[in-house]
Amino acid sequence: MEHFVVTIARQHGSGGRLVGEALAKKLGITYYDKELISLTAKRTGFAVDFVKEVEEKQTSSFLYSVYAAATVPSVYEQARNAQFTVIRELAEKEPCVIVGRAADCILQGRVPCVRVFVQAPLEERIARAQDDYHEPMDNPERALQKKDKSRAAFYNTYSEYPWGDVRNYDLVISSTIGIERTADVIAEFVRARFDLK
């Protein structure tokens, strides 16, 4: 099998994680999401909870990241850099699907990638977040906006274009057709892109 990676960025509640999992099964390749937390913790010796916190913590700005790179990296930067190294190593080792963590930016120019962004209408995202993820929300719209804002802040630190901008992706798709069918469409795109049988 040709070596390639599919990266999936997604709006919170769009089902991107579930789409990624279904896609990996359809393509017969490895799926990485939350496993990246434990692999990073193992590599660094940091606690799993700390690595998870680092993932969710916003980086202030591009200027901060330049400054941080020129000085001794904080433990947050050390954990992030370790996770990026894990992502690169996994991507270079085998074909896989990687969800989130700005993987499309981290892998740019390293391995052949199909970069996907999964979105969905607000009502569907609210329903999925409440039903599938069991997230209690007093103000569902605000909760989703907060999650997406956090993802965007993290992503924008590493990307030339803003999170969600179509220029970042090879395929932008709405999961409104259902998880399995969305995964089918992406799988067909990947097969065509890499001329897979």
Side-chain angles (χ1 to χ4, degrees):
M1 176 181 288
E2 184 172 344
H3 192 93
F4 65 91
V5 175
V6 181
T7 61
I8 297 185
R10 75 277 186 222
Q11 290 179 313
H12 188 69
S14 66
R17 178 179 56 81
L18 302 171
V19 168
E21 202 167 5
L23 176 65
K25 287 178 186 170
K26 290 174 190 300
L27 295 173
I29 61 178
T30 309
Y31 167 79
Y32 292 108
D33 181 15
K34 295 187 186 296
E35 303 83 359
L36 295 169
I37 296 171
S38 56
L39 289 169
T40 302
K42 185 176 179 181
R43 180 182 198 93
T44 60
F46 292 138
V48 169
D49 287 344
F50 175 74
V51 175
K52 187 174 180 184
E53 177 189 332
V54 168
E55 281 194 337
E56 295 168 355
K57 189 174 179 69
Q58 295 180 22
T59 302
S60 303
S61 68
F62 174 73
L63 290 176
Y64 170 78
S65 65
V66 170
Y67 168 77
T71 61
V72 177
S74 70
V75 289
Y76 288 102
E77 292 296 321
Q78 290 174 42
R80 277 210 181 114
N81 291 339
Q83 186 168 75
F84 296 161
T85 299
V86 167
I87 288 169
R88 289 182 193 112
E89 288 174 353
L90 293 171
E92 289 167 0
K93 183 177 80 169
E94 62 182 347
C96 58
V97 173
I98 300 175
V99 175
R101 295 160 184 88
D104 56 320
C105 301
I106 305 309
L107 297 176
Q108 190 169 6
R110 292 182 171 266
V111 294
C113 279
V114 169
R115 301 162 305 154
V116 178
F117 187 84
V118 179
Q119 60 186 19
L122 180 62
E123 313 78 53
E124 290 182 26
R125 294 171 56 211
I126 289 171
R128 184 172 285 116
Q130 291 175 327
D131 297 342
D132 294 352
Y133 306 145
H134 309 291
E135 294 180 10
M137 297 185 219
D138 294 334
N139 186 329
E141 189 172 347
R142 187 177 298 156
L144 290 178
Q145 287 172 346
K146 185 177 178 183
K147 287 271 193 180
D148 284 346
K149 185 176 179 182
S150 178
R151 282 184 182 164
F154 175 79
Y155 186 91
N156 293 347
T157 304
Y158 304 99
S159 175
E160 180 180 358
Y161 301 112
W163 177 82
D165 188 310
V166 296
R167 291 173 290 183
N168 290 326
Y169 312 103
D170 302 301
L171 181 65
V172 177
I173 188 167
S174 174
S175 60
T176 194
I177 59 175
I179 298 300
E180 289 297 322
R181 290 182 70 190
T182 302
D184 284 336
V185 171
I186 300 170
E188 187 58 32
F189 183 89
V190 171
R191 289 186 186 107
R193 173 79 175 269
F194 296 114
D195 199 23
L196 304 174
K197 295 179 182 176

